[in-house]
Amino acid sequence: MEILRCDNLTLAYGKDVVISELDLSISEGDFLCVVGPNGSGKTTFINGILGLLKPKSGKVILNGFSEKQIGYIPQENLIDDSFPASVFEIVLSGSLNEGHNIYNSEIWERAESVLRTVGIFKLKDKSFGEISGGERQKVLIARALLASKKLLVLDEPSNNLDQKSKKWLYEFLEKLSRNDGMTIIMVTHDLDHGNLIGNKILSLREKDVFFGTTKEFVRKVHNG
Ligand code: ADP
């Protein structure tokens, strides 16, 4: 089932066009990696999907859910270390987008369940400032899982993570898409051509934009 489609999508800041006439379609359980050099428009694309930047022309079509129901995982370093909240409170805040009452016991149960899913239930009462970078990333994933059952959007989630946390993260996301049918869009710098993750790629490069399967992308890279 198609989850998201971009039809002839052009995103721009004033007259400066960053993404031009992009067509793209992703389905339930797809794992799309968005790659490209700095300044190529990866964040602009994400902002277009999240509805934070209105298209100059064309459309983003979400099938059966709204932008508010997208689970967004920001770069970890955008959150203030001294933000005075517990892990559980941060996860609970994932339900605010949809206007849920966070003092509702069903939401609490779901929050506990997503903490178990990412394996950090024991950190529930710790303060966000006192846990490691890898653990914080897990908190942000749990928060996004509470916000969304359909689409997760991650912006460079492996920044600042050590090898072990990175490996955990990529395996977790692959399982989530493959086994639970979660659709994932991830911006990444970590493009190892020998070991690509996900099944689809959007590669943004001036005048050489590619969207297709990871296999097609590898073939294209090999054939120059
Ligand atoms: P990436 O995420 O790939 O590094 P961005 O999407 O952040 O790229 O930026 C793409 C282009 O859009 C860059 O040339 C950048 O300078 C420009 N840009 C990004 N945000 C804004 C903005 N708020 N106003 C004007 N130009 C912007």
Side-chain angles (χ1 to χ4, degrees):
M1 187 179 78
E2 185 177 69
I3 285 278
L4 177 149
R5 193 165 86 235
C6 298
D7 272 351
N8 209 24
L9 177 69
T10 296
L11 295 171
Y13 301 100
K15 286 197 176 107
D16 296 332
V17 171
V18 179
I19 305 265
S20 177
E21 298 178 356
L22 176 69
D23 287 317
L24 160 159
S25 164
I26 53 175
S27 305
E28 198 165 34
D30 271 347
F31 186 164
L32 171 75
C33 283
V34 183
V35 301
N38 269 343
S40 60
K42 301 183 294 298
T43 302
T44 301
F45 172 73
I46 296 295
N47 288 341
I49 300 295
L50 295 172
L52 300 174
L53 182 63
K54 296 284 164 237
K56 186 175 172 71
S57 59
K59 282 188 229 165
V60 176
I61 300 157
L62 304 176
N63 187 8
F65 60 106
S66 75
E67 286 114 348
K68 284 185 178 171
Q69 293 166 309
I70 297 176
Y72 173 57
I73 299 164
Q75 294 186 16
E76 184 260 314
N77 53 8
L78 294 181
I79 295 200
D80 187 346
D81 280 6
S82 59
F83 190 64
S86 72
V87 164
F88 194 60
E89 286 166 335
I90 293 207
V91 172
L92 270 183
S93 71
S95 67
L96 289 173
N97 249 355
E98 281 192 76
H100 287 302
N101 173 2
I102 59 168
Y103 298 107
N104 164 316
S105 62
E106 190 205 322
I107 298 288
W108 277 48
E109 277 164 27
R110 275 180 54 208
E112 292 187 349
S113 153
V114 294
L115 280 169
R116 288 199 182 89
T117 304
V118 296
I120 54 165
F121 186 76
K122 63 179 190 309
L123 301 179
K124 184 172 168 268
D125 299 318
K126 293 240 179 218
S127 114
F128 193 68
E130 65 177 313
I131 59 178
S132 73
E135 289 167 342
R136 279 187 206 165
Q137 188 65 263
K138 291 182 183 180
V139 174
L140 297 180
I141 291 171
R143 179 180 188 278
L145 284 173
L146 189 65
S148 177
K149 294 191 191 88
K150 288 202 186 246
L151 177 63
L152 287 188
V153 172
L154 301 96
D155 195 352
E156 306 214 21
S158 62
N159 271 359
N160 307 322
L161 290 188
D162 60 28
Q163 282 305 327
K164 193 171 152 233
S165 306
K166 240 186 231 185
K167 187 165 177 286
W168 176 87
L169 175 69
Y170 291 162
E171 285 175 4
F172 177 79
L173 293 174
E174 291 221 283
K175 257 191 252 154
L176 202 60
S177 65
R178 202 179 315 120
N179 302 347
D180 302 332
M182 180 66 86
T183 310
I184 296 173
I185 299 180
M186 178 173 91
V187 171
T188 180
H189 263 326
D190 239 13
L191 189 62
D192 172 357
H193 288 170
N195 187 22
L196 287 171
I197 49 167
N199 64 333
K200 294 205 172 149
I201 287 212
L202 172 63
S203 170
L204 298 171
R205 233 166 241 284
E206 230 187 319
K207 297 192 178 61
D208 189 20
V209 170
F210 171 91
F211 168 70
T213 65
T214 309
K215 280 186 189 151
E216 287 163 350
F217 183 70
V218 170
R219 219 174 295 139
K220 180 178 179 291
V221 171
H222 278 259
N223 296 336

